[in-house]
């Protein structure tokens, strides 16, 4: 069983991930800002860890994640504006990567954005900034010596997870339930031999574990 440190645990994907990991007997450390979030994450099976990604320093975050096997970064500004996006999706990701390296945590999973997100839609300047920040975050992580995986899900929805997806380095754009994004992250935790790769993800017809297992490089 793995010890997994989740940044963004109180978010919609994060909560699914906490429960799914805990149900499979993994140890979950869940970073959160507010006391009520800690109680909710604890009820889902996590060990709550108090911390604000926009205020903490690299050394403090490294000490909190020390001993973990995997860091999962699924934090995001959630449309809260350019400055918050820059602080969380941009600087926050860089800080988390630096902390993982300092703490000696080799495996880092990043939930990013599908390149076609928002295509043919009037999304505005804020969305353009979001996509730019996400790409820069991908580049920052991919340039490290960590055993990273960048997961780029399609349009997220709250439909019930089916446990079946389409996953690969380049696939047709589509929707995907948040529960199935979480299930894919669980599979990536359990398949450490899938590493240093970018995976696009949508709903589909293949069981999640099989979809991830087939991405292992020979």
């Amino acid at each position: 069983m793995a010890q997994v440190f989740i940044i963004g645990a109180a978010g919609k994907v994060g909560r699914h991930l906490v429960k799914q990991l805990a149900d499979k007997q993994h140890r979950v450390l869940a970073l959160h800002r507010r006391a009520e979030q800690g109680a909710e994450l604890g009820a889902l099976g996590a060990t709550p860890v108090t911390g604000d990604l926009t205020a903490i320093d690299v050394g403090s975050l490294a000490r909190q994640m020390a001993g973990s096997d995997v860091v999962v970064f699924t934090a995001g500004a959630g449309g809260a504006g350019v400055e918050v996006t820059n602080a969380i999706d941009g600087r926050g990701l860089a800080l988390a990567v630096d902390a993982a390296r300092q703490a000696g945590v080799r495996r880092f999973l990043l939930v990013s954005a599908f390149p076609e997100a928002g295509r043919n839609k009037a999304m505005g300047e804020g969305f353009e900034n979001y996509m730019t920040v996400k790409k820069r975050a991908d580049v920052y992580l991919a340039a490290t010596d960590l055993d990273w995986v960048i997961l780029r899900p399609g349009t997220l929805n709250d439909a019930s997870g089916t446990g079946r997806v389409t996953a690969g380095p380049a696939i047709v754009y589509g929707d995907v339930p948040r529960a199935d994004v979480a299930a894919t992250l669980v599979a990536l935790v359990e398949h450490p031999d899938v590493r240093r790769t970018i995976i696009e993800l949508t709903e589909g017809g293949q069981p999640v574990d099989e979809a991830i297992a087939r991405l292992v490089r020979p």
Side-chain angles (χ1 to χ4, degrees):
M1 297 298 103
Q3 178 169 301
V4 185
F5 189 93
I6 304 176
I7 300 172
K12 292 183 179 180
V13 171
R15 288 170 187 262
H16 282 292
L17 180 58
V18 166
K19 186 175 188 309
Q20 291 182 29
L21 284 169
D23 285 348
K24 299 190 77 173
Q25 305 305 308
H26 295 289
R27 186 179 180 214
V28 183
L29 303 181
L31 189 70
H32 66 93
R33 287 184 301 157
R34 300 193 298 272
E36 65 271 19
Q37 293 173 330
E40 292 164 1
L41 292 167
L44 292 173
T47 298
V49 178
T50 304
D52 185 344
L53 192 60
T54 65
I56 200 169
D57 61 76
V58 171
S60 296
L61 185 57
R63 286 189 290 274
Q64 289 179 322
M65 63 174 62
S68 296
D69 301 294
V70 189
V71 172
V72 180
F73 190 100
T74 185
V82 168
E83 289 306 316
V84 180
T85 296
N86 294 345
I88 296 177
D89 301 80
R91 294 189 298 274
L93 178 277
L95 183 143
V97 169
D98 293 348
R101 297 185 71 209
Q102 184 170 310
V105 183
R106 292 289 310 159
R107 189 153 175 80
F108 197 108
L109 310 180
L110 169 62
V111 179
S112 187
F114 207 108
E116 282 78 15
R119 179 169 288 178
N120 299 322
K121 300 176 183 177
M123 303 300 288
E125 180 182 352
F127 186 78
E128 289 299 321
N129 178 72
Y130 168 80
M131 293 301 291
T132 298
V133 169
K134 282 293 190 185
K135 182 57 181 290
R136 288 175 180 166
D138 291 355
V139 171
Y140 191 90
L141 176 59
T144 71
D145 58 353
L146 296 175
D147 290 337
W148 53 266
V149 177
I150 295 169
L151 184 65
R152 294 175 172 171
T155 298
L156 301 173
N157 63 50
D158 290 320
S160 298
T162 66
R164 293 178 174 270
V165 297
T166 297
I171 64 174
V172 176
Y173 184 59
D175 298 343
V176 61
R178 288 179 171 87
D180 287 335
V181 175
T184 302
L185 291 167
V186 173
L188 287 168
V189 168
E190 296 179 341
H191 287 276
D193 40 0
V194 178
R195 61 191 184 90
R196 301 185 69 80
T197 189
I198 296 173
I199 302 170
E200 296 180 352
L201 182 74
T202 65
E203 60 191 4
Q206 190 167 29
V208 169
D209 196 66
E210 291 180 17
I212 294 305
R214 65 183 285 272
L215 296 177
V216 176
R217 294 175 179 174

